[in-house]
């Protein structure tokens, strides 16, 4: 069995039982420390010396005066901590997406002046008119009949004074759709009006969109988008993404559907408004089923239907709420 003597000063002495030789400390090339496994030193002639005295080897390596190297064993001890940090950071990120960002968005919306929200809505509509919408081609009597239904619902709405309905042709990009913009603007397309059997059949859609306005879902969604952009900015340092989100929010309303919670709130409020206005909430459920039938038949996929939770779930909730005797008419 070979032994390696390491004096405080001078070369190390290697004794293999037959020969004894002195070697400079720098001549030994040691393997990295991994746990408690044995360390190996490669000698100048290619032979290998092995020892389990890792502490002594560490002292020998440090005494050579070379650059300090973190042993792999330390990295191994650090790995669980680093992994735990990554897990915690990932968990915190998803917590922020699920709860923190919505809360921040809603809080920001609560303090946003109504005039500012209305200004956002006007600019959003201008953007949509430029890139997506076309002038309405509905006959004047049809528009007047739909407006009469809207005005009836509006008298019972807890919405801004500038709550208004506008008609646009959706074309191939928007199609049969209706949407509520920040500030009180409700848009309905010619294509969706054409799908309804009568203006009265649109009462549920219009009440639903008024529900979005009452709950300020548009500006709350904007706050959540901006919060997400802020997180991306902190993580990437790229401020352009945040500025881009602000610039294209109007167009993004076509692609970024409201959360399921927002849609359920709008459905719930829509049923209440219809009752208050003397409209039958069943008409909304019937229209939803009709639109769903068109989708399943492959005739058309209405954009307004595709951006919402599943139709069977909505129809079930609407009919259940309509059957209840005591419904709180105030928006939550």
């Amino acid at each position: 069995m070979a032994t390696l003597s390491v004096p405080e000063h001078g070369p190390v002495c290697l004794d293999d039982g037959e020969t004894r030789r002195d070697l400079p400390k720098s001549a030994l090339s040691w393997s990295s420390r991994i746990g408690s496994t044995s360390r190996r030193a490669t000698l100048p002639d290619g032979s290998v010396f092995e020892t389990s005295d890792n502490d002594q080897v560490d002292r020998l390596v440090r005494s050579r005066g070379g650059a300090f190297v973190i042993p792999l064993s330390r990295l191994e001890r650090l790995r669980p901590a680093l992994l735990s940090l990554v897990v915690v950071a990932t968990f915190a990120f998803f917590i922020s997406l699920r709860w923190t960002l919505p809360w921040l968005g809603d809080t920001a919306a609560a303090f946003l002046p109504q005039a500012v929200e209305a200004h956002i809505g006007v600019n959003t509509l201008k953007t949509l008119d430029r890139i997506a919408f076309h002038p309405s081609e509905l006959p004047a009597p049809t528009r007047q009949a739909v407006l009469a239904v809207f005005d009836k619902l509006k008298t019972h709405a807890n919405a801004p004074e500038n709550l208004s309905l506008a008609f646009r042709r959706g074309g191939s990009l928007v199609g049969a759709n209706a949407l509520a913009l920040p500030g009180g603007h409700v848009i309905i397309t010619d294509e969706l009006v054409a799908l309804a059997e009568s203006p009265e059949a649109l009462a549920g859609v219009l009440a639903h969109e008024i529900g979005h306005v009452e709950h300020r879902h548009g500006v709350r969604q904007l706050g959540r988008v901006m919060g997400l952009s802020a997180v991306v900015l902190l993580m990437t340092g790229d401020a352009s993404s945040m500025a881009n989100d602000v610039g294209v929010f109007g167009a993004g309303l076509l692609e970024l559907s409201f959360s399921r919670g927002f849609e359920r709130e709008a459905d719930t409020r829509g049923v209440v408004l219809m009752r208050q206005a003397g409209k039958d909430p069943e008409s909304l459920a019937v229209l939803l089923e009709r639109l769903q039938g068109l989708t399943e038949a492959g005739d058309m996929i209405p954009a307004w239907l595709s951006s919402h939770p599943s139709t069977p779930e909505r129809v079930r909730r609407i009919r259940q709420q309509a059957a209840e005797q005591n419904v709180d008419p105030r928006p939550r």
Side-chain angles (χ1 to χ4, degrees), residues 234-316:
L234 292 174
M235 296 179 65
T236 66
D238 182 9
S240 63
S241 62
M242 187 171 182
N244 183 66
D245 279 331
V246 178
V248 303
F249 177 68
L253 281 176
L254 294 175
E255 301 295 336
L256 184 62
S257 61
F258 287 125
S259 70
R260 287 181 177 267
F262 283 179
E263 297 298 351
R264 292 189 182 101
E265 278 186 334
D267 274 346
T268 298
R269 181 55 180 162
V271 170
V272 174
L273 276 176
M274 293 179 71
R275 282 189 167 187
Q276 293 174 328
K279 308 293 183 182
D280 185 3
E282 175 67 13
S283 63
L284 177 55
V286 171
L287 179 61
L288 288 173
E289 290 178 329
R290 182 168 180 267
L291 296 178
Q292 179 68 19
L294 293 174
T295 301
E296 293 173 351
D299 297 336
M300 181 178 296
I301 302 178
W304 189 78
L305 188 62
S306 64
S307 62
H308 291 65
S310 69
T311 300
E313 174 196 343
R314 296 182 66 197
V315 169
R316 183 175 61 254

Side-chain angles (χ1 to χ4, degrees), residues 100-135:
T100 306
L101 290 183
W103 178 81
L104 289 175
D106 292 351
T107 301
F111 288 96
L112 187 71
Q114 187 64 47
V116 175
E117 183 177 349
H119 182 70
I120 293 173
V122 169
N123 288 335
T124 299
L125 182 55
K126 289 180 180 179
T127 301
L128 293 174
D129 281 339
R130 185 175 66 253
I131 68 175
F133 287 147
H134 308 278

Side-chain angles (χ1 to χ4, degrees), residues 69 75 120 136 164 173 191-192 208 218 239 246 276-277 306 311 330:
V69 179
L75 292 179
I120 293 173
S136 173
S164 62
L173 180 60
E191 291 85 348
L192 187 57
H208 174 95
V246 178
Q276 293 174 328
S306 64
T311 300
R330 296 170 299 176

Side-chain angles (χ1 to χ4, degrees), residues 137-327:
E137 297 177 354
L138 290 176
T142 302
R143 291 201 301 270
Q144 291 173 358
V146 176
L147 275 171
V149 175
F150 182 82
D151 289 340
K152 181 67 173 179
L153 295 166
K154 179 179 176 180
T155 59
H156 300 279
N158 300 319
E161 294 182 358
N162 60 342
L163 176 64
S164 62
L165 177 65
F167 299 91
R168 296 291 189 274
R169 182 167 61 85
S172 58
L173 180 60
V174 183
N177 209 344
L179 62 154
L181 305 182
H185 304 281
V186 175
I187 315 297
I188 190 169
T189 66
D190 295 2
E191 291 85 348
L192 187 57
V193 174
L195 283 178
E197 296 177 348
S198 67
E200 287 291 330
L202 292 169
V205 172
L206 297 174
H208 174 95
E209 298 303 330
I210 292 175
H212 280 311
V213 173
E214 286 190 343
H215 288 289
R216 307 182 75 186
H217 287 159
V219 72
R220 287 165 64 186
Q221 188 80 346
L222 174 59
R224 295 179 184 195
V225 170
M226 295 303 299
L228 179 59
S229 298
V231 172
V232 173
L233 173 62
L234 292 174
M235 296 179 65
T236 66
D238 182 9
S240 63
S241 62
M242 187 171 182
N244 183 66
D245 279 331
V246 178
V248 303
F249 177 68
L253 281 176
L254 294 175
E255 301 295 336
L256 184 62
S257 61
F258 287 125
S259 70
R260 287 181 177 267
F262 283 179
E263 297 298 351
R264 292 189 182 101
E265 278 186 334
D267 274 346
T268 298
R269 181 55 180 162
V271 170
V272 174
L273 276 176
M274 293 179 71
R275 282 189 167 187
Q276 293 174 328
K279 308 293 183 182
D280 185 3
E282 175 67 13
S283 63
L284 177 55
V286 171
L287 179 61
L288 288 173
E289 290 178 329
R290 182 168 180 267
L291 296 178
Q292 179 68 19
L294 293 174
T295 301
E296 293 173 351
D299 297 336
M300 181 178 296
I301 302 178
W304 189 78
L305 188 62
S306 64
S307 62
H308 291 65
S310 69
T311 300
E313 174 196 343
R314 296 182 66 197
V315 169
R316 183 175 61 254
R317 293 183 71 256
I318 289 169
R319 285 178 170 151
Q320 178 182 354
Q321 181 186 352
E324 294 174 352
Q325 296 300 316
N326 299 317
V327 181

